[in-house]
Amino acid sequence: MRRSIATVCISGTLEEKLESIARARFDAVEIFENDLIASRLSPREIRQRCADLGLGIDLYQPFRDMDGVDEARFRRNLDRAQRKFDLMVELGAPMLLVCSNVQPDMICDDELLASQLHAMAEKAAERGLRVAYEALAWGHHVNRYMHSWEIVKKADHPHLGLCLDSFHILSRGDDPAGIETIPADKLFFLQLADAPMLAMDVLQWSRHFRCFPGQGTFDLARFVEHVLMAGYPGPLSLEVFNDVFRAAPNRRTTLDAHESLLFLEEQVRQRIAARAVADPAAAQLAERIELFNPPAPPAVRGVSFIEFAVDAASGHVLARALEGLGFDRLGAHRSKDVTLYQQGEVRLILNQEPGSFAADFFQRRGPSICALGLATDDGQRAVNRGVAFQLPRYAGRVGPNETIIPALRAVDDSVIYFVSQALEERGFLESDFVIEAGRQGHSRAGIRQVDHLAHAYPLEQFDTGVLFNRVVLGLAPQPSLELADPHGLVRSCAMVNDDQSLRIALNVSQSRTTATGRTAETLQGGGIHHIALACDDIFACATRLQAGGTELLPVPDNYYDDLAARLDLAPALVERMRQFGVLYDENADGAFFHFYVRSFVGSFFFEIVQRVGRYAGFGAANAAVRMTAQSAQ
């Protein structure tokens, strides 16, 4: 299908926006009036620029407060509209978006509204143009799509139809199934936006918090399914008002926008295919339209390995820290300055190879996590999916007889390796590393596997991170949380797969102040900063680590005094937690014990966790205590 985007979605001058939109492979644009007014180009020059870039112009918008006004005001509005029609002819825009009136003094008379819109459509028809009427969610009288359809139906003009906007419909809680009752020739335009669920004024919600499909919580796939089933023939167009997007560099934003539309098309295609089994109309639709059909997302089965970028000095310090955590040094790489450590199922790799991507990563970010290996069913298919969504492959230097692992560059410039089950079964690490005799990676401290990871993002990349984890890794977003730390607020969104074998918490700090050991988005562009390791006995693990010289993060006594007052816990248990700095959370599904190791050079830290029952959270209630304690370091 034709893919379009409104120029209001991204930052820059109109000329810069058009170039970025074309590079992201969109087919067309909606020209936002403010962008045109501020442009140094004339409407004819803008039309030519779009043509040179291979972009169509689908819509000019918005025209406000046209309907429900007295006769004198309507004549002025009609004169204003005719001037805009003249401009649109020069611009080459075939359609004008007219928003429902939001003024409290408007005349709430559907017959009047219909007659005024008919008169406007008549003037548009004289120039071969069309008018798309949109019900704003905060419209004074018309604020629901079925009401706007009743007015368009009354107006009864071939050059007047509807613009359906997913935000205005879904934010009001309206059921989009009714769209299928509207004739296809009256569905003139479709605008798409996602959004997080927020309890706030709908106008402020719309103006500041919309996002691209897949970055919020609206069921856009179902919405578009109903629109297409109604016979809508036009483009899928994004219209997103978002303060962060309009302040961020537009190259990344437009790439995200196009990726989000591809992802939405994939979801819609799957819904229509499922419906086609019992619905002949859906089967005909599936034959008639072409929607994006990429390789399936990977079936991720957890973390295969985590790779750190270090130099000789930091690598030595980190190696000692890992040994203190109970990890065995299994061996060295056959051709690179890379070392493998293991405990239970947890594999950690220290890479200090000169001239490698890890060396470049270290140069820019210091000691940090530069790569993540994910165990999956088919690594090549996973990479092919990423490439279909315009993400770059990664291919590192491989020595003779060493394993080639399919990989992608992630949005933070780290590397994601996809380790197929066949590679795991062949012992791919054993073929690349010389394993020292007697080294087995036994769980000397009781650590079994990676429980979850936390990834810090710069503010302008948070929604990009959500989209990447959802589209490429097939993870589902959980409800977002706002956590207080000593320097502001941290927004957190957990992403998980179906069986909870991969959990990644995405974090962004809304404070620009950085403190040592903090989870701050200002730390060298973000990255994985927190590795949580699972054990079966939190106190046995803490005892072993402390006896081995590992320094645990101290927790204030006030925390345990409050814990004892809030929860019905045995005093002996509370005192044992106090001894090791163990934090605690519980809910109806189970309980969660966890403690932290002091952070490593302020870049990342380890957490040890024990889950009891079916507890699926992350101990968010304790986040402020942890962040305050880390800040005190």
Side-chain angles (χ1 to χ4, degrees):
M1 293 192 70
R2 186 174 171 98
R3 302 176 187 119
S4 181
I5 184 172
T7 57
V8 73
C9 296
I10 60 176
S11 67
T13 65
L14 180 57
E15 299 92 296
E16 292 168 343
K17 293 180 181 191
L18 294 176
E19 290 174 4
S20 182
I21 288 167
R23 285 199 305 269
R25 304 182 188 178
F26 279 93
D27 302 306
V29 294
E30 303 175 36
I31 300 292
F32 195 67
E33 184 169 71
N34 290 6
D35 288 323
L36 182 141
I37 291 171
S39 176
R40 61 182 177 82
L41 302 179
S42 70
R44 287 185 182 275
E45 288 172 328
I46 293 170
R47 177 179 187 171
Q48 187 60 52
R49 179 63 60 87
C50 287
D52 292 344
L53 293 170
L55 292 173
I57 299 176
D58 285 340
L59 185 78
Y60 184 71
Q61 64 128 325
F63 194 95
R64 303 185 188 278
D65 302 329
M66 174 72 191
D67 53 329
V69 296
D70 60 36
E71 184 63 23
R73 178 67 182 274
F74 177 67
R75 290 300 163 195
R76 292 195 297 272
N77 282 348
L78 201 58
D79 179 66
R80 178 164 58 99
Q82 292 187 86
R83 293 173 184 268
K84 296 301 179 184
F85 292 149
D86 292 340
L87 180 152
M88 290 169 60
V89 170
E90 291 188 35
L91 185 63
M95 192 180 306
L96 177 66
L97 173 67
V98 176
C99 303
S100 61
N101 199 325
V102 301
Q103 300 303 321
D105 61 348
M106 75 168 290
I107 303 169
C108 301
D109 180 338
D110 285 5
E111 295 292 343
L112 175 66
L113 269 63
S115 67
Q116 291 179 340
L117 289 171
H118 183 281
M120 186 182 193
E122 189 70 17
K123 294 298 183 183
E126 293 173 1
R127 296 163 176 81
L129 305 175
R130 297 197 296 170
V131 173
Y133 184 55
E134 175 184 56
L136 297 180
W138 54 91
H140 181 69
H141 179 58
V142 180
N143 49 46
R144 296 186 183 272
Y145 79 93
M146 290 305 290
H147 191 180
S148 65
W149 163 231
E150 290 300 320
I151 292 170
V152 167
K153 187 161 52 173
K154 287 179 186 293
D156 190 24
H157 196 288
H159 285 252
L160 176 67
L162 291 177
C163 173
L164 298 177
D165 184 304
S166 63
F167 182 86
H168 295 303
I169 294 172
L170 299 180
S171 67
R172 300 283 307 200
D174 287 350
D175 186 351
I179 294 170
E180 294 193 32
T181 66
I182 301 173
D185 63 351
K186 287 300 181 182
L187 299 177
F188 278 12
F189 206 73
L190 175 65
Q191 292 179 322
L192 297 167
D194 207 339
M197 294 306 298
L198 300 171
M200 64 184 305
D201 172 73
V202 69
L203 175 58
Q204 297 306 312
W205 188 12
S206 170
R207 285 284 178 259
H208 305 290
F209 296 100
R210 296 197 204 190
C211 52
F212 296 128
Q215 295 177 332
T217 55
F218 285 172
D219 189 351
L220 290 183
R222 177 173 178 260
F223 175 83
V224 176
E225 173 197 353
H226 290 306
V227 174
L228 296 184
M229 286 298 301
Y232 170 70
L236 302 180
S237 189
L238 297 170
E239 188 202 39
V240 171
F241 296 86
N242 185 295
D243 297 338
V244 174
F245 294 175
R246 285 180 287 192
N250 62 32
R251 174 60 172 159
R252 181 69 258 172
T253 307
T254 48
L255 289 174
D256 286 352
H258 194 263
E259 180 182 334
S260 75
L261 266 186
L262 297 180
F263 179 55
L264 178 59
E265 285 186 29
E266 177 190 29
Q267 293 178 303
V268 174
R269 181 185 55 77
Q270 292 169 349
R271 289 187 65 93
I272 292 174
R275 182 169 172 173
V277 174
D279 185 342
Q284 292 176 3
L285 178 63
E287 289 286 332
R288 181 169 53 85
I289 65 171
E290 183 177 348
L291 295 170
F292 187 59
N293 186 16
V300 178
R301 302 188 311 277
V303 176
S304 176
F305 62 87
I306 301 170
E307 186 169 343
F308 297 82
V310 294
D311 63 0
S314 60
H316 176 70
V317 176
L318 181 55
R320 291 184 60 188
L322 296 182
E323 289 166 1
L325 286 168
F327 283 83
D328 278 342
R329 182 187 186 279
L330 290 195
H333 198 277
R334 296 183 184 277
S335 64
K336 304 183 183 80
D337 194 355
V338 178
T339 312
L340 172 64
Y341 289 80
Q342 184 167 342
Q343 180 174 188
E345 298 177 12
V346 184
R347 301 175 181 132
L348 305 179
I349 294 173
L350 276 55
N351 189 336
Q352 58 187 62
E353 173 70 8
S356 66
F357 94 93
D360 179 61
F361 208 85
F362 178 87
Q363 189 69 27
R364 289 180 285 117
R365 303 195 184 188
S368 51
I369 296 163
C370 61
L372 182 65
L374 298 178
T376 185
D377 57 335
D378 187 331
Q380 191 57 59
R381 190 187 77 233
V383 168
N384 290 344
R385 177 178 175 83
V387 171
F389 282 99
Q390 302 181 37
L391 292 162
R393 297 178 191 267
Y394 170 77
R397 189 173 73 248
V398 179
N401 302 316
E402 292 174 358
T403 305
I404 298 175
I405 307 176
L408 291 169
R409 283 281 193 180
V411 294
D412 66 347
D413 207 33
S414 65
V415 172
I416 305 290
Y417 291 99
F418 294 93
V419 183
S420 300
Q421 186 171 353
L423 287 180
E424 288 278 8
E425 291 173 351
R426 289 206 304 268
F428 74 101
L429 285 175
E430 288 75 4
S431 67
D432 285 11
F433 288 83
V434 178
I435 305 300
E436 298 174 9
R439 299 288 188 173
Q440 300 293 327
H442 292 307
S443 186
R444 293 194 284 115
I447 290 170
R448 292 186 294 102
Q449 62 189 33
V450 174
D451 183 87
H452 66 271
L453 304 168
H455 195 140
Y457 281 92
L459 181 62
E460 66 274 11
Q461 288 186 6
F462 184 80
D463 292 299
T464 299
V466 171
L467 191 63
F468 176 86
N469 282 279
R470 192 169 186 183
V471 171
V472 179
L473 304 185
L475 306 185
Q478 307 302 295
S480 293
L481 300 173
E482 283 196 338
L483 311 172
D485 82 350
H487 304 277
L489 291 176
V490 173
R491 180 183 171 197
S492 183
C493 176
M495 310 284 294
V496 301
N497 63 350
D498 290 340
D499 65 0
Q500 305 278 311
S501 61
L502 181 62
R503 306 178 181 98
I504 302 177
L506 311 186
N507 300 320
V508 60
S509 173
Q510 299 179 34
S511 167
R512 293 292 177 176
T513 304
T514 307
T516 301
R518 274 192 72 227
T519 304
E521 54 88 8
T522 48
L523 287 175
Q524 304 291 331
I528 294 175
H529 60 91
H530 172 177
I531 302 170
L533 305 172
C535 71
D536 292 325
D537 187 333
I538 196 79
F539 298 108
C541 185
T543 300
R544 292 169 189 165
L545 296 190
Q546 202 170 63
T550 297
E551 189 174 359
L552 310 184
L553 187 70
V555 175
D557 284 339
N558 293 337
Y559 170 80
Y560 297 101
D561 294 341
D562 177 72
L563 194 66
R566 285 190 299 110
L567 302 175
D568 185 20
L569 298 174
L573 177 60
V574 175
E575 288 307 308
R576 205 172 181 200
M577 286 191 283
R578 189 194 306 264
Q579 177 186 355
F580 296 107
V582 173
L583 302 168
Y584 178 82
D585 189 32
E586 65 178 32
N587 57 28
D589 296 322
F592 187 65
F593 295 88
H594 56 135
F595 68 84
Y596 297 86
V597 177
R598 291 179 71 99
S599 64
F600 183 79
V601 297
S603 295
F604 54 86
F605 58 91
F606 292 93
E607 176 188 13
I608 311 300
V609 311
Q610 179 187 349
R611 296 180 182 272
V612 179
R614 298 176 61 190
Y615 181 97
F618 300 86
N622 299 319
V625 175
R626 185 263 298 172
M627 287 188 281
T628 301
Q630 287 178 322
S631 180
Q633 291 183 41

